């Protein structure tokens, strides 16, 4: 009823190419923009902004992995390692050369992309699980290198203190200020991905994913585009790493280890492979669900468990419920949260006359 | 559609619950505790955090601090940094006046925030050793021996064991290959140059369950006179077995504070496997302390049996120590405020810096925290595995204190 395509006629090329051709789409985006950039910072407490900030960082990382995994069909288990490359690059530039954030962010992304190109080389020969192992190796090699190269990682602790980002001489410190720093980057990443995947490059990625040989036969240089996918994906990871570093105030490879790579894989799979909105859903789901479950347990658990053991039960139940919900959502909709959202939309599209 | 409705309902319940965050009530002081009950170092957190809770419970049963109840806000962070950041923000929102951090990367990430928010944080036995410098890190309190102090004390102990002279002796340093594992290296290098012993470093790559080559090298080729064992998680258990297998006597090895728990001994196969093994402790091990009896009596008066976590004395007592020191600081702050419950993080920071000669019947070292020295003296006590327990074989001690403080000041 609300979301209906009929009756809107496109009379110019521009309107045909618009990201959101329907008025309801435009209105929704405007509404979201008002919600995120005016209402949230005004209404939400700093603590809740912390959650949104963490999710904003995860969104950028998840988008990057989804371009590679969901659109181009190449798996990577080294995503967090690329984030650490971005993190250390930015930290070094910021500390030694006093680069402002608008230089460290592209620099971190670019160096990560370069390393990503290199790591992508095995993808030219191997596929699927074999590629997974090759990228897993990259995760460990990058971790080891950072751990043992004081010139890059800043000494025995392998960590570099990151100065807070500055904008017009104003140091961004509080959660609200960081929110206005991280959120626009996240929005830029979403818009860039939306446009990338409907461009020629994005379509090539999808062609490679769906049938590599067919793609090659119609004249696509598969090798080049696979490497490009790795580079683009690593660029996103690098940027996410820089954002995380500014946010944590420290570049430390221990914040980007294998479990984080797995978390990002989970975000893409739960959110929905090959979908931008799915990456956002997945990132928000994986980042916020543990907190939600914990608060839920703390509220409800009091009625079931005795005081001393409550903390222990909360900690364990959080993991159990978290795992259970992931299975639940994947059973209900194997194609991810994005498909679930599509179902809701399609239901309301014809509601109340569903037949 | 039925599934959808179910899902939406569940989501609403979770959302509703998440907005009910408790706020401070009058006469209540909130302390924050970050835990790792589910992550890679859960062998520590599972025993340590109950210790913290029980001490607070004991204090509350005696009327709290100046009549005010203490409320612990515990959050488990799975040893991941983002949940640790979130946990800190939640504690800040909950009005916590002191936060017990857990984990070296977490300490590093939270240090600038503690400073901005003026909330003191404790990092006992981990984190950056340079944080002992209270002038540079006013809101970070290691309150127990840092890795530098542990390294210095271990070398001091080795010196005593090897007849008072280290010149020409061979010391092996076997460590978990991560930043925390490498942290003691600068002090060890410095002491090597001072004392003239040979130091050889043996790194164990994470996850630290394979160290045959390194141990063989130490026992057969390098033939170390003494071994300093700085490992975490499962690695200490593996190292005990591996050294025994290579025929290296365990009474020529000392484990740093995170290689020193009952769970590490159990992991190696039980007490009989680890006879003679020396360990450094930052809080007293064993159950012969009055405060532990008090806690048992408290449970008894409630008609309950004491928690089984108490049997793992090393980590349980450490949790008790963390709580005791934090509450002492709160107590000092409350006193300074004339008994008001309305203390701030900054008051508690001053409270920390006024802790002196607080030892709780010997379970804590004779701490003296000052505005300069946030480590409180860098005390450790050496224990040895004898029979079915850790037996103290030294008084509270520290080694090469001047050298350590020099390094802290110049860092």
């Amino acid at each position: 009823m609300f979301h209906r395509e009929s009756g809107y006629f496109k009379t110019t090329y521009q309107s045909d190419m618009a990201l959101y051709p329907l008025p309801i789409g435009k209105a929704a985006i405007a509404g979201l923009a008002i919600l995120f950039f005016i209402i949230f910072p005004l209404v939400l407490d700093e603590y809740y902004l912390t959650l949104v900030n963490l999710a904003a960082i995860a969104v950028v990382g998840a988008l990057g992995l989804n371009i590679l995994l969901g659109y181009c069909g190449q798996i990577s288990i080294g995503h967090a390692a690329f984030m650490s490359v971005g993190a250390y690059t930015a930290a070094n530039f910021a500390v030694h050369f006093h680069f402002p954030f608008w230089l460290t962010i592209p620099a971190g992304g670019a160096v990560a992309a370069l390393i990503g190109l290199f790591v992508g080389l095995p993808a030219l020969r191997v596929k699927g699980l074999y590629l997974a192992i090759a990228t897993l190796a990259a995760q460990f090699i990058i971790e080891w290198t950072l751990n043992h190269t004081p010139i890059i990682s800043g000494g025995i602790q392998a960590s570099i203190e990151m100065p807070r980002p500055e904008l017009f001489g104003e140091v961004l410190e509080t959660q609200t200020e960081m929110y206005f720093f991280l959120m626009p980057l996240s929005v830029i990443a979403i818009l860039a991905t939306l446009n990338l995947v409907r461009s020629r490059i994005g379509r090539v990625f999808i062609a490679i994913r769906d049938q590599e040989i067919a793609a090659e036969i119609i004249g696509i240089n598969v090798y080049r585009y696979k490497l490009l996918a790795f580079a683009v994906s690593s660029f996103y990871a690098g940027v996410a790493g820089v954002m995380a570093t500014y946010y944590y105030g420290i570049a430390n490879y221990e914040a980007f280890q294998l479990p984080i790579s797995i978390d990002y894989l989970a975000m893409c799979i739960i959110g929905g492979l090959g979908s931008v909105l799915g990456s956002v859903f997945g990132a928000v789901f994986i980042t916020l669900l543990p907190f939600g479950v914990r608060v839920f347990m703390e509220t409800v658990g009091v009625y079931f468990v005795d005081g001393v053991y409550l903390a222990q039960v909360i900690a364990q139940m959080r993991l159990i419920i978290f795992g259970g919900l992931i299975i639940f959502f994947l059973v209900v909709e194997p194609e991810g949260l994005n498909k679930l959202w599509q179902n809701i939309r399609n239901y309301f599209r014809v509601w109340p006359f569903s037949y | 559609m039925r599934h959808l409705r179910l899902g939406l309902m569940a989501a609403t319940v979770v959302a509703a619950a998440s907005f009910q965050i408790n706020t401070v009530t009058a006469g209540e002081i909130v302390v924050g505790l970050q835990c790792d009950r589910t992550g890679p170092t859960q062998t520590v957190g599972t025993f340590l955090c109950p210790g913290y809770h029980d001490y607070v419970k004991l204090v509350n049963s005696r009327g709290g601090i100046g009549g005010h109840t203490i409320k612990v806000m515990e959050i488990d962070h799975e040893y991941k940094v983002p949940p640790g950041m979130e946990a800190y923000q939640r504690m800040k929102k909950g009005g916590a006046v002191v936060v017990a951090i857990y984990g070296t990367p977490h300490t590093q990430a939270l240090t600038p925030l503690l400073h901005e928010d003026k909330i003191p944080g404790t990092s006992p036995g981990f984190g950056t050793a340079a944080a002992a410098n209270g002038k540079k890190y006013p809101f970070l309190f290691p309150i127990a021996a840092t890795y530098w102090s542990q390294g210095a004390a271990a070398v001091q102990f080795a010196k005593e064991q090897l007849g008072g002279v280290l010149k020409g002796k061979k010391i092996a340093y076997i460590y978990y290959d991560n930043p925390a594992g490498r942290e003691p290296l600068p002090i060890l290098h410095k002491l090597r140059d001072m004392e003239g012993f040979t130091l050889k470093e043996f790194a164990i790559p994470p996850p630290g369950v394979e160290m045959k080559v390194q141990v063989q090298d130490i026992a057969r080729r390098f033939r170390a006179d003494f071994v300093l064992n700085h490992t975490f998680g499962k690695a200490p258990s593996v190292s005990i077995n591996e050294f025994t297998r290579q025929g290296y006597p365990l009474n020529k090895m000392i484990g740093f504070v995170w290689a020193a728990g009952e769970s590490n001994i159990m992991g190696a196969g039980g007490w009989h496997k680890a006879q003679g093994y020396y360990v450094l402790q930052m809080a007293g091990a064993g159950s012969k302390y009055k405060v532990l009896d008090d806690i048992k009596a408290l449970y008894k008066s409630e008609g309950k049996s004491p928690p089984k976590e108490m049997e793992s004395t090393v980590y349980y007592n450490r949790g008790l120590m963390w709580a005791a020191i934090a509450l002492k600081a709160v107590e000092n702050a409350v006193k300074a405020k004339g008994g008001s419950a309305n203390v701030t993080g900054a008051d508690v920071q001053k409270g920390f810096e006024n802790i002196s000669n607080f030892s709780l019947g010997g379970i804590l070292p004779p701490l003296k925290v000052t505005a300069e020295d946030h480590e409180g003296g860098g005390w450790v006590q050496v224990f040895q595995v004898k029979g079915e327990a850790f037996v103290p074989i030294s008084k509270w001690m520290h080694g090469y204190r001047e050298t350590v403080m020099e390094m802290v000041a110049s860092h």
Side-chain angles (χ1 to χ4, degrees), chain A residues 44-48 50-51 54 144 146-148 155-159 161 164 173-175 247-250 252-255 257 259-260 263 289-296 298-300 306 308-309 311-313 315-316 318-319 328-329 332 340 343-344 347, chain B residues 1 3-8 13-14 17-21 37-38 42 46 53-54 57 74-78 80-83 85-87 89-90 92-93 104-105 108-110 112-113 116 127-129 137 177-180 182-183 185-186 299 304 307-309:
Chain A
L44 280 191
D45 184 272
E46 282 229 318
Y47 164 67
Y48 296 106
T50 312
L51 297 179
L54 288 172
W144 189 91
L146 290 171
N147 197 0
H148 289 93
I156 273 182
Q157 285 269 0
S159 51
E161 276 177 46
R164 296 278 179 202
E173 270 178 348
T174 63
Q175 292 299 321
Y247 187 60
Y248 301 155
I250 196 144
N252 186 325
Y253 80 94
E254 287 182 294
Q257 285 181 316
I260 307 293
D263 275 358
L289 192 67
F291 307 142
V293 172
R294 192 188 60 217
V295 174
F296 176 75
E298 279 170 15
T299 322
V300 178
D306 187 34
V308 205
Y309 292 104
Q312 181 71 22
V313 171
Q316 308 297 341
R318 187 170 52 88
L319 288 182
F328 173 79
F329 276 109
V332 170
L340 215 55
N343 291 349
I344 297 175
Y347 176 78
Chain B
M1 216 59 288
H3 290 306
L4 197 71
R5 223 168 286 146
L6 210 72
L8 283 176
V13 172
V14 171
S18 61
F19 275 89
Q20 281 186 4
I21 288 203
R37 290 174 190 260
T38 48
Q42 53 178 285
T46 317
H53 285 285
D54 283 347
K57 186 176 164 158
E74 184 200 303
I75 299 179
D76 179 274
H77 63 39
E78 237 182 298
K80 288 181 182 165
V81 177
M85 300 283 281
E86 183 267 350
Q89 293 293 345
R90 187 142 171 250
K92 181 179 139 195
K93 180 180 162 62
T104 298
Q108 291 176 328
L110 290 178
L113 292 179
E116 282 157 20
T128 323
Y137 297 94
D177 195 8
N178 69 356
R182 282 195 305 269
E183 181 78 357
L185 281 175
Y299 272 98
K304 294 178 196 159
K308 61 182 189 319
E309 283 84 2

Side-chain angles (χ1 to χ4, degrees), chain B residues 100 134 225 255 281 286 357-358 377-378 388 392:
Chain B
D225 294 307
Q281 298 290 4
N357 286 327
F358 174 57
E388 300 252 307

Side-chain angles (χ1 to χ4, degrees), chain B residues 51-126:
Chain B
Y52 196 106
H53 285 285
D54 283 347
Y55 185 78
V56 172
K57 186 176 164 158
L58 182 71
V59 168
N60 280 340
S61 77
R62 291 169 175 170
I65 291 177
H68 312 303
T69 324
I70 304 296
K71 190 178 140 204
V72 186
M73 192 172 191
E74 184 200 303
I75 299 179
D76 179 274
H77 63 39
E78 237 182 298
Y79 214 84
K80 288 181 182 165
V81 177
M85 300 283 281
E86 183 267 350
Y88 169 77
Q89 293 293 345
R90 187 142 171 250
M91 288 164 180
K92 181 179 139 195
K93 180 180 162 62
V97 290
V98 52
V99 172
I101 309 170
Y102 183 77
T104 298
H106 306 80
T107 312
Q108 291 176 328
L110 290 178
T111 305
L113 292 179
L114 294 172
H115 195 70
E116 282 157 20
D117 300 330
K118 299 209 178 333
I119 297 173
T122 56
S123 60
F126 51 85

Side-chain angles (χ1 to χ4, degrees), chain A residues 170-340:
Chain A
E170 181 79 28
V171 183
L172 308 177
E173 270 178 348
T174 63
Q175 292 299 321
T176 318
E177 286 164 350
M178 283 312 277
Y179 179 84
F180 281 110
F181 171 65
L182 296 172
M183 203 37 122
L185 288 171
S186 206
V187 170
I188 292 171
I190 293 172
L191 287 178
T193 321
L194 280 174
N195 282 306
L196 177 81
V197 297
R198 57 186 201 143
S199 70
R200 182 188 145 78
I201 297 174
R203 281 159 209 266
V204 170
F205 286 168
I206 293 168
I208 293 175
R209 176 193 70 193
D210 287 347
Q211 184 54 272
E212 207 178 309
I213 294 170
E216 208 167 356
I217 286 168
I218 60 169
I220 291 168
N221 186 342
V222 173
Y223 295 158
R224 217 182 102 195
Y225 279 99
K226 272 190 184 173
L227 283 184
L228 184 65
F230 264 97
V232 172
S233 158
S234 308
F235 185 90
Y236 275 77
V239 171
V242 181
M243 288 163 73
T245 304
Y246 273 119
Y247 187 60
Y248 301 155
I250 196 144
N252 186 325
Y253 80 94
E254 287 182 294
F256 306 106
Q257 285 181 316
L258 185 61
I260 307 293
S261 283
I262 306 292
D263 275 358
Y264 277 99
L265 271 180
M267 286 174 199
C268 289
I269 292 168
I270 291 167
L273 288 172
S275 127
V276 174
L277 194 59
S279 317
V280 178
F281 283 151
V284 172
F285 185 83
I286 295 279
T287 318
L288 300 192
L289 192 67
F291 307 142
V293 172
R294 192 188 60 217
V295 174
F296 176 75
M297 275 306 297
E298 279 170 15
T299 322
V300 178
V302 193
Y303 302 107
F304 297 102
V305 194
D306 187 34
V308 205
Y309 292 104
L310 183 62
Q312 181 71 22
V313 171
I314 287 173
Q316 308 297 341
M317 281 306 285
R318 187 170 52 88
L319 288 182
I320 294 171
I321 295 181
F322 183 62
L325 277 177
I326 289 176
I327 295 174
F328 173 79
F329 276 109
L330 285 181
V331 169
V332 170
E333 188 49 73
E335 285 175 57
L337 296 174
N338 182 53
K339 191 71 201 302
L340 215 55

Side-chain angles (χ1 to χ4, degrees), chain B residues 211-278:
Chain B
M211 56 185 82
K212 198 181 173 86
V213 185
Q214 291 90 335
V215 173
Q216 208 160 25
D217 196 345
I218 292 173
R220 300 284 171 80
R221 182 154 50 161
F222 181 58
R223 292 174 183 277
D225 294 307
F226 213 83
V227 178
L228 314 181
N229 183 348
H230 184 29
T231 48
F232 319 97
K234 284 262 173 275
S237 311
V238 179
S239 72
I240 289 170
N241 282 333
E242 208 60 67
F243 273 101
T244 312
R245 201 165 297 144
Q246 296 297 337
Y248 192 87
L250 290 179
N251 62 10
K252 289 197 168 193
M253 173 157 78
I254 186 157
F256 283 29
V257 297
W258 299 112
E262 275 93 350
S263 45
N264 301 122
I265 306 295
M266 293 309 143
W271 293 103
H272 64 284
K273 294 267 189 184
Q275 291 299 313
Y277 177 53
Y278 291 112

